[in-house]
Amino acid sequence: KHMMNIGLPEEITEIVDIGAYVSLLEYDNIKGMLFSGEITLKRVNYINRLLSVGKEEVLRVLRVDTQKGFIDLSKKQVKTDEIDECKQRFGKSKAVEGIIKLLAVHTKKSMESLYKSIIWPLYKTNEHAYDALKSLYQKNDHILDGLKIADDVKEELMKILIIMLLEYMEFM
């Protein structure tokens, strides 16, 4: 249900007669199907002219059949303004993932435990964890209030934010 009706970044992995197989990049590369009738409002004669393997597209999830493992996608139902929003959200998510990976290495804690203790709680009070981390970088220390984070982890997080957000903020 979480995936329904939102634009998601997908990577075209294979083009077939009936459409294209894609990897859902935000969902651990699970596979989905973009049928030829959902690529464009126009008639499709040659799918290869509209899609190419390796290209990232913003698509909408139409249906999820959890029992059979099918995910049906649409390109024609994605609105133009959703494309930039989706790309920006995905970029922010990748930045957060990079920060957490580095924090996990430096603190010898699992990424999952860091997501549970820092990132997921930040989503409860912010539109995106990236925005909260950016605010923390800008010395709004109250962002982490109420979170159970060891002082050494907070200190390491701040070091990483200084390095990484300078890099990412150029693109956001």
Side-chain angles (χ1 to χ4, degrees), residues 6 15 45 53 70 90 102 114 125-126 140 145 166:
I6 58 171
I15 297 173
N45 291 326
V53 173
F70 295 144
F90 185 63
L102 199 53
L114 293 171
T125 55
N126 299 274
N140 291 336
D145 289 351
L166 283 175

Side-chain angles (χ1 to χ4, degrees), residues 14-21 33-37 39 47 51:
E14 181 182 0
I15 297 173
V16 294
D17 291 341
I18 61 169
Y21 291 101
M33 182 65 175
L34 173 61
F35 287 101
S36 59
I39 295 172
I47 296 171
L51 303 173

Side-chain angles (χ1 to χ4, degrees), residues 9-119:
E10 329 292 357
E11 181 178 342
I12 307 297
T13 57
E14 181 182 0
I15 297 173
V16 294
D17 291 341
I18 61 169
Y21 291 101
V22 299
S23 289
L24 282 73
L25 300 176
E26 283 189 85
Y27 289 91
D28 203 24
N29 292 321
I30 58 175
K31 300 295 180 201
M33 182 65 175
L34 173 61
F35 287 101
S36 59
E38 290 296 330
I39 295 172
T40 181
L41 294 171
K42 300 174 184 174
R43 187 167 183 263
V44 177
N45 291 326
Y46 301 100
I47 296 171
N48 290 348
R49 290 185 181 168
L50 300 171
L51 303 173
S52 57
V53 173
K55 185 176 180 192
E56 288 184 15
E57 298 280 352
V58 175
L59 305 174
R60 179 177 302 279
V61 175
L62 298 177
R63 286 172 296 284
V64 178
D65 184 333
T66 54
Q67 291 178 341
K68 294 182 181 178
F70 295 144
I71 300 173
D72 295 337
L73 305 161
S74 175
K75 182 176 177 179
K76 73 179 183 183
Q77 293 188 28
V78 176
K79 297 177 182 116
T80 308
D81 59 329
E82 289 178 310
I83 295 171
D84 289 336
E85 179 185 318
C86 175
K87 287 180 179 179
Q88 186 176 36
R89 187 181 69 243
F90 185 63
K92 286 180 176 183
S93 296
K94 293 300 286 182
V96 169
E97 181 183 28
I99 290 165
I100 293 301
K101 277 183 181 178
L102 199 53
L103 186 60
V105 169
H106 287 229
T107 61
K108 296 183 178 25
K109 297 195 179 293
S110 73
M111 285 182 62
E112 183 177 354
S113 71
L114 293 171
Y115 270 98
K116 284 180 181 178
S117 63
I118 301 170
I119 301 306

